[in-house]
Amino acid sequence: MLEVKNLTFKVDADGVEKSIINNVSFVIPDNKLVCVTGPNGGGKSTLARLIMGIEKPSSGQIIFNGVDVTNKTITERAKLGMGFAFQQPIRFKGLQVLDLIRLAKGENINVTRACEYLAAVGLCARDYIDREVNSSLSGGELKRIEIATLLAKSSALSIFDEPEAGIDLWSFQNLIEVFRNMRKNIKDSSILIISHQERILNISDEIIVIKNGEIAEKGAKEDILPRLIGTNAAVSTCRKLA
């Protein structure tokens, strides 16, 4: 379970202190898929980076499975079971997909076991297991390989920062199915997705709406989503891929 308590993040903008995240509090229980959405520039991605330790909060607490991780490093959080998928997955020239999955797993697993993680994200293992994680892979392929590494890591909390960014419609449709399967098989873990996409929001259990660095509303998907897609403000929040 993740608990975020009174989290605040401020930056110095040309000598003026600016609040990016302001006194945000929420809980993500185990066995839940929670989406954070809201207008561009509202602080969603910053919130994800704070939770993972990429940014350090100005004040507040982040508690993961009973452990205060507020001042812990990214590595320490990863060892506790937190995983992060970037908007733009990192490319590793010279590193094969098999090596990346082994690194994520933390052991020298055989090809058959590594292929199981690729199959789980809808990739034909024999076509990818020996590929380099470089520019020869599309954005959609990289995102699915990154998800495969989180599955291999058996993350207790998997955080996805706008997974729809920069991928085509076909890859997006496959990505939705991957998230559906992750939600269906979730056990003693949780998933946090930062997203604008209505189809991703629709597979969540709960939705948190962030505006101007603050929580505008939060609750069950059945309560929040109809209000989002029923207002003009939701056009930017739940834009659809063309």
Side-chain angles (χ1 to χ4, degrees):
M1 181 173 71
L2 178 74
E3 299 176 78
V4 173
K5 296 182 176 181
N6 307 116
L7 201 65
T8 295
F9 178 65
K10 298 179 179 180
V11 297
D12 186 294
D14 298 324
V16 178
E17 190 175 67
K18 181 180 180 181
S19 181
I20 307 299
I21 296 294
N22 186 30
N23 200 36
V24 166
S25 298
F26 60 87
V27 173
I28 298 181
D30 287 343
N31 306 318
K32 296 289 185 182
L33 190 159
V34 176
C35 282
V36 174
T37 192
N40 288 331
K44 303 182 302 298
S45 291
T46 299
L47 178 61
R49 293 196 296 270
L50 288 167
I51 292 171
M52 194 62 212
I54 299 169
E55 302 282 1
K56 299 299 181 185
S58 303
S59 62
Q61 282 184 295
I62 302 168
I63 299 172
F64 179 59
N65 286 342
V67 178
D68 189 336
V69 300
T70 311
N71 296 312
K72 292 189 180 296
T73 65
I74 299 172
T75 301
E76 289 171 327
R77 296 181 201 213
K79 287 179 178 179
L80 288 171
M82 300 174 71
F84 191 90
F86 292 88
Q87 280 190 37
Q88 301 297 329
I90 301 171
R91 300 173 190 270
F92 300 93
K93 186 177 181 180
L95 184 70
Q96 293 184 328
V97 171
L98 174 60
D99 299 323
L100 189 62
I101 293 176
R102 282 173 171 170
L103 285 171
K105 186 66 177 175
E107 58 183 275
N108 192 32
I109 59 175
N110 60 34
V111 172
T112 300
R113 285 190 65 194
C115 286
E116 291 174 359
Y117 297 113
L118 291 175
V121 297
L123 294 177
C124 180
R126 66 174 178 270
D127 293 337
Y128 290 92
I129 198 70
D130 295 324
R131 294 273 298 274
E132 283 192 20
V133 189
N134 58 21
S135 58
S136 69
L137 295 167
S138 71
E141 289 171 328
L142 279 169
K143 284 182 185 289
R144 282 193 275 171
I145 289 169
E146 188 174 44
I147 294 172
T149 65
L150 291 184
L151 295 177
K153 186 179 180 297
S154 300
S155 298
L157 171 66
S158 299
I159 305 169
F160 298 89
D161 186 9
E162 297 196 24
E164 69 270 19
I167 64 173
D168 56 42
L169 180 59
W170 177 256
S171 295
F172 178 70
Q173 291 171 335
N174 288 326
L175 194 64
I176 291 292
E177 288 307 309
V178 170
F179 286 137
R180 286 186 191 278
N181 287 332
M182 288 183 69
R183 174 64 193 91
K184 183 171 62 176
N185 297 314
I186 199 169
K187 183 179 180 182
D188 299 327
S189 62
S190 50
I191 302 168
L192 174 63
I193 304 178
I194 311 296
S195 181
H196 292 283
Q197 287 294 335
E198 181 183 338
R199 288 179 61 191
I200 292 179
L201 300 180
N202 198 47
I203 62 175
S204 67
D205 296 296
E206 300 176 6
I207 295 174
I208 299 170
V209 181
I210 298 286
K211 292 182 181 179
N212 300 319
E214 298 180 348
I215 293 180
E217 55 183 326
K218 59 183 176 180
K221 173 196 68 179
E222 292 79 8
D223 297 327
I224 303 297
L225 188 56
R227 291 202 293 273
L228 288 178
I229 63 179
T231 65
N232 290 331
V235 173
S236 61
T237 301
C238 298
R239 65 180 185 272
K240 298 179 181 179
L241 286 172

